[in-house]
Amino acid sequence: MSYSYDDQNIFAKILRGEIPNTTVLETEHTLAFRDIHPQAPVHVLVIPKGPYVCFDHFALEASDAEIVDYVRAVGEVCRMEGLEADGWRLIANAGTNGVQEVPHLHVHILAGRVLGRMLAKG
Ligand code: AMP
């Protein structure tokens, strides 16, 4: 499987500064910002700055430095948002069956209420 990255996706535009965002954390290789349509009291998206379509693409082609930075940033956001006590959920959608809308890797961090079971029907 080879992935092709569409640099006109909305998160690429955010990374280029063409669209505003509400930044939670920025590191050398990673940006975390609030989801524009939050589905929980805390809904933060964490994206690598590099052009990766999905988690598998990132795992295949990102450098160790990018991967370490990204994983640590996810944890740091959880701590910054004070999520340790009550918990949170990470979701990374990929492709058609994953119903991924934006083709740039992002992890959703959801928290602030009981989130229900992992999958809804339908
Ligand atoms: P997914 O379905 O996993 O691709 O999720 C894409 C997410 O991006 C959705 O939760 C959207 O609400 C969110 N989103 C789309 N455009 C923006 C934006 N300009 N700023 C912040 N979040 C956005």
Side-chain angles (χ1 to χ4, degrees), residues 11 33-37 45 93 99-102 106 108:
F11 295 168
F33 53 97
R34 300 206 184 275
D35 196 290
I36 203 166
H37 297 304
L45 303 173
N93 297 318
V99 194
Q100 179 181 11
E101 289 173 18
V102 181
H106 50 286
H108 299 253

Side-chain angles (χ1 to χ4, degrees), residues 93-114:
N93 297 318
T96 305
N97 283 357
V99 194
Q100 179 181 11
E101 289 173 18
V102 181
H104 182 115
L105 170 61
H106 50 286
V107 167
H108 299 253
I109 300 176
L110 295 152
R113 64 171 170 81
V114 176

Side-chain angles (χ1 to χ4, degrees), residues 31-52:
L31 181 68
F33 53 97
R34 300 206 184 275
D35 196 290
I36 203 166
H37 297 304
Q39 295 186 38
V42 175
H43 190 168
V44 177
L45 303 173
V46 187
I47 68 173
K49 291 182 177 176
Y52 305 107

Side-chain angles (χ1 to χ4, degrees), residues 15 23 25-32 45-50 58 65-74 77:
L15 286 166
T23 298
L25 176 70
E26 181 167 10
T27 66
E28 183 179 1
H29 296 295
T30 305
L31 181 68
L45 303 173
V46 187
I47 68 173
K49 291 182 177 176
F58 186 62
E66 290 175 294
I67 291 171
V68 168
D69 184 284
Y70 186 70
V71 172
R72 291 205 191 284
V74 171
V77 169

